[in-house]
């Protein structure tokens, strides 16, 4: 028995947690966040959608693997995982938008960040 069993997941195997919460829930969170970012909506719209994705993940644990449906503890764990992956997806998509649609104003500094471009020599802003 794993040390994290009962803290992060309630199933007898950590593989079920990884499959359902991290892989399936993370993918759904990434795609939901990506769609919201592509619509130029603010992050709080994304956060609400990701809470619903976390509820769907909790339902999958309940329906397929006899998990607890109404558990605040495990819902919070699922929501945290989905929020982290979804927030990264939102930020990744927003960075691509800003640096491709406004390439004269912004440059990518990492996959999740951008900054204002320095004015060219002799350019007035």
């Amino acid at each position: 028995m794993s040390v994290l069993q009962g803290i992060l997941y309630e199933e007898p195997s950590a593989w079920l947690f990884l499959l359902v919460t991290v892989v399936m829930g993370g993918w759904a969170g990434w795609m939901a966040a990506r769609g919201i970012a592509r619509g130029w909506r603010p992050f709080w719209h994304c956060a609400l959608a990701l809470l619903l994705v976390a509820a769907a993940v909790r339902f999958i644990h309940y329906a397929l693997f006899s998990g607890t449906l109404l558990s605040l503890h495990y819902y919070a764990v699922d929501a945290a995982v989905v929020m982290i992956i979804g927030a990264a997806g939102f930020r990744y998509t927003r960075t691509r938008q800003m640096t491709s649609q406004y390439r004269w104003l912004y440059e990518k500094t990492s996959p999740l960040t951008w900054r204002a471009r320095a004015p060219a020599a002799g350019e007035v802003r």
Side-chain angles (χ1 to χ4, degrees):
M1 185 182 303
S2 173
V3 174
L4 297 178
Q5 201 251 349
I7 298 171
L8 288 182
Y9 59 92
E10 61 184 332
E11 291 85 7
S13 171
W15 293 109
L16 291 175
F17 171 76
L18 292 173
L19 174 68
V20 176
T21 301
V22 178
V23 175
M24 293 171 59
W27 177 81
W30 181 280
M31 295 306 287
R34 179 178 174 256
I36 291 169
R38 289 182 64 165
W40 290 98
R41 291 186 176 90
F43 181 75
W44 70 269
H45 287 201
C46 181
L48 293 177
L50 293 175
L51 290 174
L52 292 175
V53 169
V57 168
R58 183 83 322 247
F59 179 76
I60 291 170
H61 281 289
Y62 165 74
L64 298 179
F65 304 109
S66 301
T68 307
L69 178 62
L70 300 175
S71 168
L72 184 60
H73 172 83
Y74 293 120
Y75 174 74
V77 171
D78 292 342
V81 170
V82 169
M83 281 285 201
I84 290 168
I85 296 171
F90 182 89
R91 191 64 183 189
Y92 179 80
T93 303
R94 185 55 50 92
T95 299
R96 286 190 55 196
Q97 286 176 310
M98 295 299 286
T99 57
S100 65
Q101 293 185 7
Y102 303 106
R103 69 175 56 96
W104 66 93
L105 290 176
Y106 302 110
E107 61 187 354
K108 188 183 287 191
T109 56
S110 77
L112 303 179
T113 60
W114 68 89
R115 69 175 173 217
R117 284 191 182 273
E123 183 181 348
V124 179
R125 281 200 185 179

